[in-house]
Amino acid sequence: MTKKRASGATFPPALAWTDALVAELSRRFAVLVADMGATAADPVLKGVVITDAEIGGILSNQASKQYSLFVAGSLMQQLVEEAPKSSAHLLALQQRFHLSGFEMDCLLVCLAGEISPKFERVFAYLNDSMAAKLPGADILLRTVAPGQLSLQALLGRDAPLLRYGLLSSVDGARFGPYRVAGGGGRSALQAGGLAPGVSAAWGNGAVAARG
């Protein structure tokens, strides 16, 4: 049975790698939330702000599995190891566009909100704003490569993820927030092929290898 989002796009049933992605990101975000520290929230603000108790429920208090370091590329690698068959097209996407492990991890984090709406509230919590339901460069770096600020350049407007139409930056902001562009989302979810711009780069060999 397919799933249909409000936008009208039809996505296939959950793939094995999407289940692995949701589980792993839930653990990683739980660690980030725990690191932010618990603060008491006024109950009258429920629905206006996201409380620590609510975010703990969303993430099922999975901070019990601690991470001393999130390594760039480890998220993508974990999906390949846990779901080798269903993630094969992700490897094809990575190879065709010469994306690094960090870039693939960022694409997957941005895709999380499309796969499980609960992550929109997690992003809002981490952004400290109910209106900010998408990840920016700060959240991406903290989730997949904390402390490696030099990698932020791979999230710029001229970098492959945005140049080839896999991600888009909301309102053209320099470093996000980001959403998965139509082509990137459909390709990753195997739902209806690539958007024209991504398809052109894919089919015409317009993507040059990076040194």
Side-chain angles (χ1 to χ4, degrees):
M1 180 178 181
T2 58
K3 299 179 181 180
K4 194 168 185 177
R5 292 180 63 83
S7 62
T10 300
F11 294 152
L15 303 171
W17 69 264
T18 64
D19 294 335
L21 177 65
V22 169
E24 176 60 16
L25 285 182
S26 293
R27 288 189 287 265
R28 292 193 182 204
F29 289 144
V31 172
L32 294 183
V33 168
D35 286 345
M36 292 173 66
T39 56
D42 190 334
V44 302
L45 296 179
K46 184 175 177 59
V48 179
V49 299
I50 303 175
T51 66
D52 295 314
E54 181 182 0
I55 206 68
I58 290 175
L59 297 175
S60 302
N61 295 309
Q62 296 191 58
S64 57
K65 181 175 180 180
Q66 295 294 325
Y67 288 85
S68 59
L69 180 66
F70 300 152
V71 180
S74 63
L75 179 59
M76 174 64 177
Q77 183 61 36
Q78 182 169 338
L79 301 190
V80 171
E81 292 175 354
E82 294 188 10
K85 291 184 178 180
S86 67
S87 64
H89 67 289
L90 294 178
L91 283 172
L93 182 71
Q94 179 179 17
Q95 293 166 1
R96 181 59 181 175
F97 289 96
H98 307 287
L99 300 177
S100 66
F102 170 76
E103 289 166 312
M104 282 301 298
D105 282 1
C106 289
L107 180 62
L108 290 166
V109 173
C110 291
L111 189 62
E114 294 286 339
I115 296 172
S116 178
K118 76 175 185 179
F119 288 123
E120 293 181 348
R121 296 188 69 77
V122 176
F123 292 143
Y125 181 90
L126 294 174
N127 284 320
D128 197 24
S129 170
M130 279 292 292
K133 298 181 179 180
L134 296 171
D138 175 65
I139 288 179
L140 294 178
L141 286 169
R142 289 162 60 197
T143 304
V144 305
Q148 300 184 48
L149 294 178
S150 62
L151 292 175
Q152 183 171 271
L154 295 176
L155 297 171
R157 285 172 288 191
D158 295 327
L161 284 172
L162 278 76
R163 188 166 75 247
Y164 299 134
L166 298 171
L167 291 183
S168 61
S169 181
V170 177
D171 297 327
R174 186 179 180 188
F175 289 113
Y178 304 98
R179 68 174 73 253
V180 176
R186 290 203 300 272
S187 175
L189 291 170
Q190 293 182 316
L194 296 166
V198 178
S199 180
W202 184 296
N204 298 332
V207 182
R210 294 150 67 184

